[in-house]
Amino acid sequence: MKQDPEIFAIIQKERERQTKGIELIASENFVSDQVLQAMGSVLTNKYAEGYPGHRYYGGCEVVDLAEDLARNRLKQIYNAEYVNVQPHSGAQANMAVFMACLKAGDTFMGLNLSHGGHLSHGSAVNFSGLMFRAIDYSLNEQTGRVDYDELEQKARAERPKLIIAGASAYSREWDYARIRKVADEIGAIFMVDMAHPAGLIAAGLLDNPLKYAHIVTSTTHKTLRGPRGGVILMGKDFANPWGKTTPKGEVKMMSALLDSAVFPGTQGGPLEHVIAAKAVAFGEALQPEFKTYQQQVKKNAAVMAQAFMDLGYKIISGGTDNHSMLVDLRTKYPDLTGKVAEHALVAADITTNKNMVPFDTRSAFQTSGLRFGTPAITTRGLKEDKMPWIVELIDTVLQAPESETNIAKVREVVNQEMNQYPLFAW
Ligand SMILES: *Cc1c(COP(=O)(O)O)cnc(C)c1O
């Protein structure tokens, strides 16, 4: 059946890599077999530009059912009034919001990238920083938490049209109500990008940003444990809060602006096979087991952060409220860069990523930090009793990151243990 031995050998190799290691990248997860099957289905053959009931192609009546199911389940999870499940990725979802809310050159505000913000929140090499005027807010150096005083001051001084909350490397809950208040004061749109904690929010373990933000975006493949993709949502209280007048003088509601910003604004045909897989994942997120899973994700992260601190590592902000944590290596190993640490851990089959820490003294290429997260290992079935064991393995590697024998010893222990946690059913 496999007519392409080259690529299928590569897929097999990646499958083995995923199976034998400890996956600690905070933005990754393992999807269910049902999600995989939906993604690898015949729905990939269908063109369906437009939205259910309003397509530019014939024969869309079946994929309409899948997209409607995805939309309805997503609305149910977050108590949303409006959703769009077509963005190909989190960055695409954000781009559509920029298109709908701003004109080129308009000012917006997001969390500083070296303090945990995302590329699409104003990086100079991303569309957000290239086409718009990006200003940032930061973390407080002492607390490691968002400096809301600075955020408010800057918002009042610069009057951005859009304020973005949400991050890629931030382990704490947000004060959404406070940001909404200043956004209202200056007439800004408040968007929350919940790409990372979306699964914890779905399970009710963190505050639901739809209660506060005008617009919420997310990825579907991080804690939410769905296929790689993006979504846009709006909550009940703030559905269609404003209209914007088009050049022709018509007033368009925000939901219509967002829909047309996704298609035809920034994308062509939707990935209906991925949308079907999103529907499967949303269905899973509505089951009681999903809450149990997310509770375990959170518990594992808390225990892991404590285990790091017990060994003398500094965790930014001193702990975690979610699935992730950022380790500042400088406290325990002042000479060790994130780059060298990542490389050594990956060689020991412990996958993680280097990350800048707030007020880092090294470049983004070297960094002084490592980011860890528990969604993937929790899917794998590891419980909190294993977290101190993992942290000890990490510390063993970092004590001698250049030692091949040291790394090989840890790798053997890792492979042997992970053998006991089957990953794929087929
Ligand atoms: C991961 C992430 C994204 C982007 O997701 P992609 O699917 O990789 O485009 C956007 N925003 C935040 C905060 C993220 O962490």
Side-chain angles (χ1 to χ4, degrees):
M1 194 184 108
K2 301 283 154 50
Q3 298 293 322
D4 186 338
E6 274 173 294
I7 201 71
F8 283 95
I10 291 168
I11 292 171
Q12 183 58 27
K13 222 172 153 182
E14 171 62 10
R15 194 182 157 116
E16 279 157 22
R17 189 196 67 81
Q18 290 183 14
T19 309
K20 71 181 182 180
I22 297 179
E23 181 53 71
L24 295 176
I25 293 181
S27 51
E28 292 193 11
N29 213 329
F30 299 112
V31 298
S32 70
D33 287 310
Q34 287 197 97
V35 168
L36 272 185
Q37 285 184 21
M39 256 187 296
S41 72
V42 297
L43 298 188
T44 192
N45 297 332
K46 189 70 199 100
Y47 241 117
E49 285 182 346
Y51 290 97
H54 310 274
R55 304 283 194 184
Y56 290 82
Y57 287 79
C60 289
E61 57 283 355
V62 182
V63 292
D64 277 6
L65 298 174
E67 191 165 339
D68 273 334
L69 204 51
R71 298 206 287 196
N72 290 333
R73 287 177 178 174
L74 183 61
K75 280 184 186 169
Q76 202 186 331
I77 294 172
Y78 294 102
N79 204 14
E81 193 73 11
Y82 160 90
V83 296
N84 189 312
V85 297
Q86 291 193 0
H88 299 333
S89 72
Q92 288 291 109
N94 289 347
M95 188 176 212
V97 174
F98 278 82
M99 284 278 291
C101 300
L102 304 177
K103 291 191 301 292
D106 278 351
T107 301
F108 77 98
M109 186 159 81
L111 179 63
N112 185 314
L113 299 194
S114 58
H115 290 208
H118 187 258
L119 202 66
S120 60
H121 299 181
S123 158
V125 294
N126 180 264
F127 78 89
S128 55
L130 287 164
M131 294 170 55
F132 305 93
R133 180 172 166 261
I135 54 171
D136 61 11
Y137 56 94
S138 324
L139 301 189
N140 176 292
E141 191 163 9
Q142 266 66 53
T143 63
R145 294 177 189 241
V146 169
D147 188 339
Y148 292 98
D149 293 332
E150 184 208 14
L151 187 154
E152 286 174 348
Q153 278 163 19
K154 269 202 171 171
R156 288 185 186 118
E158 301 275 358
R159 305 191 80 81
K161 291 206 170 144
L162 173 72
I163 301 178
I164 302 179
S168 297
Y170 186 61
S171 63
R172 293 302 185 176
E173 176 64 292
W174 289 75
D175 190 346
Y176 300 125
R178 193 166 168 188
I179 305 178
R180 173 64 194 243
K181 201 156 167 260
V182 72
D184 282 345
E185 187 189 315
I186 63 166
I189 293 169
F190 177 32
M191 176 192 124
V192 174
D193 179 345
M194 62 171 181
H196 262 264
L200 294 162
I201 293 164
L205 302 177
L206 288 172
D207 205 2
N208 185 348
L210 273 85
K211 290 188 289 181
Y212 311 93
H214 297 107
I215 303 169
V216 174
T217 60
S218 185
T219 59
T220 47
H221 50 274
K222 297 180 182 174
T223 50
L224 197 49
R225 212 169 61 185
R228 205 155 280 287
V231 291
I232 306 173
L233 313 91
M234 286 198 291
K236 277 199 195 320
D237 297 343
F238 306 107
N240 306 329
W242 359 234
K244 175 164 126 182
T245 311
T246 66
K248 285 188 197 150
E250 330 158 63
V251 176
K252 279 204 151 189
M253 287 300 133
M254 186 50 72
S255 53
L257 289 171
L258 288 169
D259 276 348
S260 32
V262 174
F263 171 84
T266 52
Q267 294 187 170
L271 311 176
E272 290 297 342
H273 56 307
V274 175
I275 289 171
K278 285 174 179 170
V280 173
F282 300 156
E284 291 171 354
L286 287 164
Q287 303 306 310
E289 303 87 274
F290 189 75
K291 183 163 185 175
T292 315
Y293 162 67
Q294 296 293 349
Q295 282 166 334
Q296 190 66 52
V297 167
K298 201 173 165 176
K299 198 186 290 173
N300 283 352
V303 173
M304 180 178 278
Q306 189 56 53
F308 272 118
M309 292 187 287
D310 290 347
L311 287 185
Y313 287 90
K314 180 182 174 183
I315 300 282
I316 301 298
S317 85
T320 176
D321 298 329
N322 58 29
H323 63 293
S324 71
M325 67 210 70
L326 188 55
V327 173
D328 186 340
L329 293 166
R330 292 174 299 185
T331 316
K332 183 151 182 175
Y333 300 113
D335 299 329
L336 180 62
T337 66
K339 186 183 174 189
V340 168
E342 176 196 300
H343 191 80
L345 288 168
V346 168
D349 287 344
I350 300 173
T351 321
T352 176
N353 62 284
K354 65 176 186 289
N355 213 100
M356 280 184 99
V357 294
F359 309 96
D360 207 325
T361 41
R362 296 191 178 101
S363 71
F365 191 61
Q366 298 290 337
T367 83
S368 300
L370 288 173
R371 187 184 64 161
F372 294 101
T374 53
I377 45 164
T378 308
T379 298
R380 205 70 200 268
L382 279 79
K383 302 279 192 287
E384 68 271 21
D385 60 307
K386 285 285 173 213
M387 300 303 120
W389 170 77
I390 293 177
V391 171
E392 274 164 37
L393 289 175
I394 291 170
D395 189 52
T396 305
V397 171
L398 298 187
Q399 280 170 24
E402 318 280 357
S403 161
E404 285 299 334
T405 43
N406 187 43
I407 288 171
K409 250 189 268 167
V410 173
R411 186 170 58 230
E412 208 182 301
V413 176
V414 168
N415 296 160
Q416 208 160 27
E417 178 71 17
M418 294 319 285
N419 217 356
Q420 295 171 47
Y421 298 91
L423 182 52
F424 303 108
W426 46 275

